Amino acid sequence: MSSYAVYSASLALLAFSTLVTSAPVVEPQLQPRADPPALRGDDSLLGDIGPITQAPSPPVDDYDLVPGQEADPDLGFYFDFTKTDNPQPIRGSKGGTDPGPRNYRYDAINSDLFTPPGTDSGDVENAKWPMGLSHNRNGLVGSGWARQQNVAVLPAATAMAGVDMRLMPHAYRELHWHKNAEWSLILNGSVRISAVNENGQTFVDDLTAGDVWFFPKIPTKLTNLKGVPHSIQALDNGTEFLLVFDSGDFSEETTFLASEMVARIPTSVLAKDLQTDVSELANIPTDQLWIFPGVPAPADINEQNDTSNPNGYLPKEQAYSYHFSEQEPFQTSGGSVKIIDPTTFPIADTFSAALITLQPGAMRELHWHLTSDEWSFIIAGSARVTVFQAPESSRTFDFQAGDVAYIPVPESHYIENVGDDELVVLEVLQAPKFTDMSASQWIALTPNQIIKDTLNLTDEVINAQPKEKTLIKPGSTNSTETNFKVNR
């Protein structure tokens, strides 16, 4: 081919390329998809559109008022709405009917939120969490479960969190440890606990309903332990217990588990640490056990006490358990009280607690704590609590068995038994001693004139106040009683 022909072919190819590349690219146009007309209105509905047709609000006339509902709202009588079919938020001249939508069961068991006393004022952080609303995490093969309360569900509870745990007969809460201190009260059944401290000293004990254990996290006066490894095994009848931890953001999901520890370490390293052959590790767990079925513990606890341990047993003064069930309660008018704190349970030097039983109508006296928030659990019965928050806010909450109450320091409150049966409540403090400030004792020990000038109380009322704490005040089973004078 001649040079001219090559030149001509090149020009033709260049012209074709220019034509192709310079041609406009036509993009496909996507048409907007119109919504069906029924989904939205138009701008003719904005603002004033002229006369309207008034919608009906259903009248509510098929209801009965409970005793005290027509009384002065400031009397604040408790309303038992579980005994009426259609409770209404009416208190004296305040409130009105509620045609719904509504949850009748919640209204019935929270009557003081649904129909608050006239003395409630302002805004107060929520002080109630029912464990029945917590997610229940199941163990393996029907071995038990646990549910928890922490700041995720009760934001005010920054200093303590709680767990309600169930172990079926012979089931384990597996070998584990925590970043947080663990304090426990057994609600029912019996357990065997075991632990080893950093000195290689061992501890094994059998506990039953009403007993307490504690495993420390922070250095205490008796030990520098941080995260004592331990296990819990239910005995023949199974068990349920409360766990209270010293941080509001505690979670069961952050527990250090022995099964997870061995599963997350190279098997060659684990074999080296245990001075064995890798083949011996073929059956170690590949995932956490957490709560799992176990072989029944030997009836004789001494079979699990290692008498050959050269490090010996944990000294008695450092014992991780206290047989609280065998402590006799202090009986007083209206109920009884048992206190456990480092005075008698030294290892738990950051936990103090009171187990209080109130007869129907009685109340845990008006008080507040000076150094600690209060984490409480309703073990049995029905209660109500009014929390006063400075400068002028208060709110009244109702509680049933299985509920957690949390009152930040130093907010004043009482606990009143509003049910027909005994109220049993556990109060837990983060304190080296169980103490409180009693309102009636404060009045009794302050010069009369100061009280009269401040509260306009008479000498008769002031002089009738006890100079010693009573902890419990007797009451009446009549929910509309107003005279609580007693013979002195």
Side-chain angles (χ1 to χ4, degrees), residues 257-287:
L257 302 173
S259 57
E260 284 281 8
M261 179 183 68
V262 299
R264 308 306 165 199
I265 294 175
T267 52
S268 63
V269 175
L270 186 60
K272 182 186 296 186
D273 189 70
L274 299 178
Q275 293 291 280
T276 190
D277 188 270
V278 168
S279 63
E280 299 289 342
L281 306 178
N283 294 321
I284 63 171
T286 57
D287 201 353

Side-chain angles (χ1 to χ4, degrees), residues 12 26 69 151 205 282 336 366 417 467 483:
V26 178
Q69 209 166 348
V151 290
D205 196 16
S336 66
L366 182 61
N417 185 349
K467 290 182 169 58
N483 185 355

Side-chain angles (χ1 to χ4, degrees), residues 196-219:
V196 179
N197 70 10
E198 88 279 29
N199 297 319
Q201 295 169 316
T202 59
F203 181 83
V204 181
D205 196 16
D206 286 344
L207 303 174
T208 194
D211 289 341
V212 170
W213 75 70
F214 178 80
F215 294 110
K217 173 266 311 190
I218 61 176

Side-chain angles (χ1 to χ4, degrees), residues 58-94:
V60 180
D61 49 22
D62 57 339
Y63 67 90
D64 296 312
L65 298 179
V66 301
Q69 209 166 348
E70 296 178 289
D72 181 349
D74 285 357
L75 284 171
F77 293 135
Y78 173 72
F79 302 151
D80 186 355
F81 283 158
T82 64
K83 297 178 179 178
T84 186
D85 292 333
N86 187 19
Q88 295 298 320
I90 297 170
R91 189 179 285 271
S93 60
K94 296 184 177 181

Side-chain angles (χ1 to χ4, degrees), residues 131-442:
M131 279 291 191
L133 291 180
S134 292
H135 170 74
N136 226 354
R137 179 185 173 187
N138 291 317
L140 301 179
V141 197
S143 54
W145 49 260
R147 52 191 177 184
Q148 66 185 11
Q149 161 275 313
N150 55 24
V151 290
V153 296
L154 189 57
T158 57
M160 284 173 275
V163 173
D164 176 19
M165 185 171 288
R166 168 70 166 162
L167 299 180
M168 300 301 286
H170 315 303
Y172 282 102
R173 173 66 166 97
E174 78 155 287
L175 288 163
H176 67 282
W177 71 98
H178 301 288
K179 293 180 180 179
N180 301 103
E182 172 185 313
W183 187 98
S184 179
L185 174 73
I186 301 175
L187 298 174
N188 55 64
S190 303
V191 302
R192 179 167 296 170
I193 60 173
S194 68
V196 179
N197 70 10
E198 88 279 29
N199 297 319
Q201 295 169 316
T202 59
F203 181 83
V204 181
D205 196 16
D206 286 344
L207 303 174
T208 194
D211 289 341
V212 170
W213 75 70
F214 178 80
F215 294 110
K217 173 266 311 190
I218 61 176
T220 72
K221 296 176 182 177
L222 297 174
T223 178
N224 289 320
L225 295 184
K226 296 184 180 181
V228 175
H230 56 281
S231 68
I232 306 157
Q233 184 177 19
L235 297 182
D236 294 345
N237 297 319
T239 185
E240 184 175 354
F241 48 84
L242 286 176
L243 300 166
V244 185
F245 296 90
D246 61 352
S247 175
D249 59 5
F250 170 84
S251 173
E252 272 290 311
E253 304 297 333
T254 59
T255 299
F256 291 86
L257 302 173
S259 57
E260 284 281 8
M261 179 183 68
V262 299
R264 308 306 165 199
I265 294 175
T267 52
S268 63
V269 175
L270 186 60
K272 182 186 296 186
D273 189 70
L274 299 178
Q275 293 291 280
T276 190
D277 188 270
V278 168
S279 63
E280 299 289 342
L281 306 178
N283 294 321
I284 63 171
T286 57
D287 201 353
Q288 62 178 253
L289 300 177
W290 189 55
I291 293 175
F292 67 101
V295 175
D300 184 359
I301 193 173
N302 289 320
E303 292 184 32
Q304 293 188 328
N305 276 319
D306 186 2
T307 56
S308 66
N309 178 14
N311 306 300
Y313 301 120
L314 192 72
K316 186 176 180 64
E317 64 273 13
Q318 296 182 25
Y320 297 136
S321 63
Y322 188 84
H323 292 262
F324 196 38
S325 64
E326 298 184 20
Q327 178 179 321
E328 290 297 323
F330 172 74
Q331 301 288 343
T332 185
S333 180
S336 66
V337 181
K338 295 203 302 184
I339 288 176
I340 179 173
D341 60 22
T343 306
T344 52
F345 191 25
I347 193 70
D349 72 345
T350 57
F351 275 81
S352 298
L355 186 63
I356 299 167
T357 300
L358 298 175
Q359 298 300 321
M363 63 181 283
R364 169 77 164 95
E365 68 175 338
L366 182 61
H367 68 282
W368 60 96
H369 301 286
L370 303 178
T371 61
S372 171
D373 294 359
E374 177 185 313
W375 186 97
S376 291
F377 186 83
I378 308 301
I379 296 174
S382 301
R384 74 168 175 170
V385 175
T386 297
V387 179
F388 165 61
Q389 189 178 84
E392 55 185 15
S393 296
S394 66
R395 183 158 298 173
T396 305
F397 300 89
D398 300 300
F399 297 86
Q400 292 77 39
D403 291 349
V404 173
Y406 195 90
I407 298 95
V409 61
E411 297 174 2
S412 67
H413 56 285
Y414 62 86
I415 305 173
E416 182 183 16
N417 185 349
V418 294
D420 298 326
D421 303 310
E422 283 187 341
L423 170 67
V424 182
V425 58
L426 174 72
E427 292 185 28
V428 180
L429 309 179
Q430 288 285 291
K433 186 176 182 180
F434 191 92
T435 61
D436 62 26
M437 192 71 215
S438 161
S440 62
Q441 185 187 43
W442 180 34

